[in-house]
Amino acid sequence: MPNGLIAAVAIAFLCTARITAADTIYVSNEKDNTVTVVDGKTLEPVKTIPVGQRPRGILLSKDAKSLYICASDSDHIEVLDLVSDKISRTLPSGADPEYSALDPSGKLLYVANEDDNLVTVVDIDRGEVVTEIPVGVEPEGMGISPDGKYLVNTSETTNMAHVIDTATRRVIANILVDSRPRRAVWTADAAQFWVSAEIGGSVSVVDAAKREIVKRITFAVPGVPTEAIQPVGIAITRDRKLAFVGLGPANRVAVVDAQSYEVLKYLLVGQRVWSLAFNPDQSRVYTTNGVSNDISVIDVASLKVIKSVPVGQAPWGVVSRP
Amino acid sequence: MSSWRHATLLMVILIVAAALAPAASAGEETVRIGWLSQAVKRSLPLSYLDQPPQDEGIQGARLGIADNDTTGHFTGQSFILAEAIVPEDGDVAAGLRELTAKGIRLVVTDLAAPELLSAAGMPEAVGITFFDTGSASDRLRGEDCRANILHLLPSHAMLADGLVQYLVAKRWQNLLLVVGHGDGDREFAGDIHHAALKFQARIVQEKPWTFIPGARRTDTGHFAIQAEVARFTQGISYDVLVVADEGDEFGDDLSYRTFDPRPVAGTQALVPTAWARPHEQWGATQLQERFLHRAKRWMTDRDYAAWMAVRAIGEAATRTKSADPAAILAFMRGDRFELAAYKGARLSFRSWDGQLRQPVLLADARSLVSVSPQPGFLHQFSELDTLGIDKPETKCRMG
């Protein structure tokens, strides 16, 4: 390799490293009632913030200044101010909020109420519930289309992905998927959404226009019993080249070619890998590992796990803030 | 908060009504499920704390119907439970006829093995499939098996295997087996022997429990029991005392009273079971809470078995988009059937004896200790089949 090229690669690598270093990682710890803050540069935990009871789904506000936390056993959403690292206010959510999605405008939160078979729509500024949409048993996954027109909610015991028209707030389609669907994640081009089925052991790729399953992706890890393959978290690159799927107690993240749907690789991560999140430039994937109480850091370019970082007990959700 | 709640509740009702309208007009199908049980007088448990509920089992079935109906809203299916609860001295056959007269072909039962066998043998039972949620009997899945009975509770053999796998994994391989006088106790004890052979544990001694302490709630009775259990276990070298006492007559009196400090497991203390109060893994918290909310008490293993029976029917009805019992059953017994039931595994029915393959929980009164199969117990098809009677060894000849 010519020296110049090596230098260019090295500079490119350094640039990537510098850009990635800018993020801050937030992890909700379901058992500890805390959020762990991890420095994206050093990959060391820097702070533990006490929050409400049983924090699960977390997401960033549109301005990235706040973190919305589903405090399941407190029956509300908490807004964590990321400047002061204090809970600044709470939002009503209906009972047992597990997971939520943010409208692209940043004004509305859609919350899955696991105990009540409802999706609750919350106006963030007014701090009010706008309406509730009845869905199947144990709603969980929430994926909003990039244009905000459609919300896909999964219900774990009904085994469906419900497509909700966000204008009329009615369920307009129901897609039967494999057992215990967990997450619904849209591709950035809005052409598809992917639904993981934890007990079914599969990911269904749904054509968003036809609302039909176009591919059912299954997984097989040598030496791991098929029962242990329990897909939950999904992260798809913006260019839809790669998808990452957390396989639960198989302790692996599957790397999938998001065009051919072929599984390219299985990466060994922590125990019972759960949620996944990209860093802002998508050079890394962070995974929460619910049993080993850590997060794994995957380098997307090399498809290697580069570090695990200890966090609190039963880490559940993870987001990266620029 | 409460006025807001009422306002939203009204809104929800309106939305539900609006959402359901198209499904209903599209021609709703109804899946009809029968419930057949006989009231039995249960002996009072040794512990005053856990009184046997009067509505055990059926509450699980009713919750299953509610869960199925929620799904049915989106698929145009509704589910009805026709209940035939026969009194203690009543006629089970009449109860079954009541259901078959309504054209019901899928019947969930909470019956003892002899009553279930006689019901399944009636002329009216032709074309009926029974979902047994009341018996763990091995015979019912072996010599006495019937092609038209599916079993939702784990068999005694599965429970024994689940426990012994764990004890072997802990390397607590030397077992003292203490056995009560019931038929179920003897069957479970036999299964512990079988499991010990299979998984390489050792029964150092088997002893029948014959001590009758008399009235339990007399003051100072504990001195007699304490002394008796110490004498009973003295001079034996073992790791774990395994007790077989389904009737709950003495098992709770063993812990902390043995001569040497040894843990107790089996029908009391560390118990292998289909369902347990402390279980909250794999989303089980949601099922526990839905059940508590509805029944105002904790879910038992029989409630859970009944819930699974109704959910299995619902799952097959959803997948086949059919209310036809034949289509539902064909799917349910096929390779593609999988039931998610909060134990982190896909549950399905064994073709050779109609048993639902499932993990076995190991729990005491306050905590979930483990879930079997234990890691490392391998099987060529499904690790769940390391629990209970596998295809090559079954005594079931359906025909």
Side-chain angles (χ1 to χ4, degrees):
Chain A
M1 199 186 277
N3 281 347
L5 188 54
I6 292 175
V9 170
I11 288 165
F13 178 77
L14 283 174
C15 288
T16 325
R18 193 164 48 77
I19 297 161
T20 39
D23 72 323
T24 308
I25 307 153
Y26 295 87
V27 179
S28 60
N29 301 304
E30 185 180 357
K31 273 206 175 153
D32 280 357
N33 305 330
T34 59
V35 165
T36 304
V37 186
V38 177
D39 182 336
K41 186 176 172 185
T42 60
L43 291 177
E44 296 290 338
V46 290
K47 197 167 186 179
T48 304
I49 305 167
V51 298
Q53 301 281 309
R54 200 174 177 207
R56 291 196 278 175
I58 52 176
L59 53 88
L60 273 182
S61 64
K62 200 183 178 198
D63 60 10
K65 287 180 181 162
S66 312
L67 189 71
Y68 302 122
I69 304 165
C70 291
S72 300
D73 285 355
S74 299
D75 294 334
H76 61 214
I77 305 269
E78 298 188 339
V79 182
L80 179 68
D81 178 82
L82 298 180
V83 178
S84 67
D85 285 344
K86 290 205 161 61
I87 302 292
S88 58
R89 55 195 286 239
T90 60
L91 300 171
S93 66
D96 195 16
E98 172 158 10
Y99 201 76
S100 64
L102 185 66
D103 182 78
S105 72
K107 291 188 163 58
L108 295 176
L109 262 185
Y110 297 94
V111 187
N113 301 119
E114 199 167 26
D115 275 358
D116 283 354
N117 306 341
L118 293 172
V119 167
T120 299
V121 187
V122 182
D123 183 312
I124 297 169
D125 290 341
R126 284 165 41 210
E128 284 174 9
V129 169
V130 182
T131 189
E132 292 173 332
I133 306 165
V135 291
V137 183
E138 291 170 44
E140 149 124 7
M142 303 284 275
I144 194 146
S145 61
D147 62 6
K149 285 186 179 163
Y150 301 105
L151 174 74
V152 177
N153 161 254
T154 63
S155 45
E156 290 174 336
T157 295
T158 292
N159 301 330
M160 281 179 184
H162 307 284
V163 182
I164 296 166
D165 180 331
T166 55
T168 60
R169 292 177 180 140
R170 287 183 51 178
V171 174
I172 54 168
N174 300 293
I175 298 141
L176 201 57
V177 293
D178 287 343
S179 296
R180 202 167 152 82
R182 297 298 300 263
R183 297 296 158 77
V185 175
W186 286 76
T187 55
D189 59 9
Q192 299 175 339
F193 54 87
W194 293 34
V195 180
S196 56
E198 189 176 22
I199 295 296
S202 66
V203 169
S204 292
V205 178
V206 182
D207 182 312
K210 291 184 188 150
R211 297 181 191 128
E212 278 170 11
I213 296 173
V214 290
K215 176 72 188 179
R216 186 176 165 272
I217 303 169
T218 55
F219 308 90
V221 184
V224 174
T226 58
E227 285 97 347
I229 292 176
Q230 301 181 358
V232 179
I234 302 174
I236 308 167
T237 56
R238 274 187 287 269
D239 56 12
R240 214 218 290 173
K241 283 192 173 151
L242 290 178
F244 296 83
V245 181
L247 298 182
N251 308 337
R252 304 293 198 289
V253 167
V255 184
V256 180
D257 181 322
Q259 296 291 326
S260 70
Y261 310 119
E262 191 191 337
V263 181
L264 304 173
K265 206 171 173 186
Y266 293 99
L267 307 173
L268 186 63
V269 291
Q271 289 172 23
R272 199 162 185 203
V273 51
W274 203 245
S275 301
L276 309 182
F278 283 114
N279 65 340
D281 70 0
Q282 301 201 327
S283 60
R284 286 178 183 166
V285 178
Y286 303 117
T287 76
T288 53
N289 310 317
V291 174
S292 51
N293 300 333
D294 54 8
I295 62 169
S296 297
V297 182
I298 297 168
D299 179 61
V300 172
S302 64
L303 294 181
K304 287 206 162 100
V305 180
I306 55 172
K307 193 163 182 190
S308 17
V309 184
V311 291
Q313 285 196 80
W316 203 100
V318 55
V319 299
S320 160
R321 180 193 182 212
Chain B
M1 185 75 179
S2 76
S3 64
W4 169 83
R5 267 248 167 238
H6 284 132
T8 42
L9 186 64
L10 183 62
M11 216 182 307
V12 170
I13 292 166
L14 292 174
I15 294 165
V16 171
L20 297 191
S25 61
E28 191 160 282
E29 286 185 309
T30 303
V31 181
R32 291 189 298 164
I33 302 169
W35 170 268
L36 179 60
S37 67
Q38 183 168 31
V40 282
K41 192 175 237 165
R42 306 262 175 88
S43 58
L44 276 183
L46 196 53
S47 168
Y48 193 67
L49 298 178
D50 296 313
Q51 301 296 322
Q54 298 298 309
D55 52 0
E56 196 175 7
I58 187 136
Q59 286 284 11
R62 288 175 187 156
L63 178 62
I65 292 283
D67 284 351
N68 286 352
D69 268 338
T70 306
T71 301
H73 290 162
F74 300 103
T75 55
Q77 289 179 330
S78 66
F79 294 81
I80 289 174
L81 190 70
E83 301 177 4
I85 301 172
V86 180
E88 199 185 337
D89 54 355
D91 182 4
V92 175
L96 181 63
R97 278 187 212 107
E98 196 184 303
L99 296 173
T100 54
K102 293 176 183 163
I104 287 169
R105 310 186 80 75
L106 306 170
V107 178
V108 181
T109 64
D110 183 0
L111 296 171
E115 282 72 29
L116 176 56
L117 281 175
S118 63
M122 285 166 56
E124 290 87 345
V126 174
I128 307 288
T129 297
F130 295 87
F131 295 77
D132 162 32
T133 68
S135 174
S137 158
D138 295 327
R139 283 193 67 89
L140 206 50
R141 294 144 172 91
E143 299 92 323
D144 292 340
C145 76
R146 297 288 183 274
N148 61 344
I149 305 180
L150 295 168
H151 305 280
L152 281 300
L153 281 175
S155 63
H156 282 138
M158 289 167 75
L159 298 174
D161 286 348
L163 175 62
V164 173
Q165 276 192 8
Y166 177 73
L167 299 180
V168 168
K170 293 293 293 176
R171 305 206 165 275
W172 299 342
Q173 279 145 307
N174 297 306
L175 314 179
L176 166 61
L177 184 56
V178 179
V179 186
H181 60 78
D183 291 340
D185 299 342
R186 278 190 289 270
E187 191 175 80
F188 182 66
D191 289 326
I192 293 285
H193 276 283
H194 187 69
L197 206 63
K198 220 173 8 174
F199 304 123
Q200 296 176 4
R202 199 164 73 91
I203 314 283
V204 296
Q205 202 172 327
E206 178 180 328
K207 294 185 82 169
W209 181 263
T210 51
F211 178 68
I212 300 164
R216 286 164 188 160
R217 269 155 212 122
T218 52
D219 281 348
T220 73
H222 59 276
F223 284 118
I225 294 164
Q226 186 183 326
E228 180 60 29
V229 175
R231 275 197 298 278
F232 187 79
T233 55
Q234 189 174 1
I236 305 167
S237 173
Y238 64 102
D239 299 320
V240 181
L241 190 161
V242 175
V243 56
D245 170 32
E246 279 194 327
D248 213 2
E249 293 176 3
F250 63 92
D252 280 315
D253 280 345
L254 300 175
S255 281
Y256 314 110
R257 299 165 182 90
T258 49
F259 188 85
D260 295 311
R262 295 288 179 268
V264 176
T267 49
Q268 282 78 20
L270 177 64
V271 178
T273 178
W275 191 251
R277 282 188 292 192
H279 176 44
E280 50 181 333
Q281 306 288 305
W282 299 294
T285 310
Q286 273 79 55
L287 184 62
Q288 301 272 26
E289 284 183 2
R290 281 209 299 286
F291 188 87
L292 261 174
H293 183 75
R294 169 176 286 268
K296 314 290 179 220
R297 61 172 177 79
W298 287 94
M299 186 178 227
T300 69
D301 56 347
R302 294 156 90 109
D303 295 314
Y304 175 67
W307 177 86
M308 286 198 295
V310 173
R311 273 293 301 131
I313 294 167
E315 181 66 18
T318 309
R319 297 283 168 190
T320 55
K321 300 182 174 65
S322 173
D324 172 27
I328 287 172
L329 281 168
F331 183 82
M332 200 185 287
R333 289 174 181 272
D335 297 340
R336 284 167 53 223
F337 178 77
E338 58 186 40
L339 182 66
Y342 307 93
K343 290 201 283 201
R346 303 185 262 285
L347 314 190
S348 54
F349 290 98
R350 290 177 180 154
S351 59
W352 55 92
D353 60 2
Q355 168 70 51
L356 186 73
R357 49 168 75 81
Q358 60 190 298
V360 166
L361 309 181
L362 295 163
D364 67 10
R366 305 274 295 186
S367 76
L368 180 76
V369 175
S370 189
V371 181
S372 286
Q374 295 296 315
F377 289 89
L378 304 178
H379 189 277
Q380 54 184 333
F381 301 119
S382 163
E383 277 163 32
L384 292 177
D385 287 343
T386 63
L387 303 177
I389 304 302
D390 202 358
K391 195 173 184 176
E393 52 181 348
T394 184
K395 290 179 185 143
C396 172
R397 300 281 174 268
M398 291 179 186

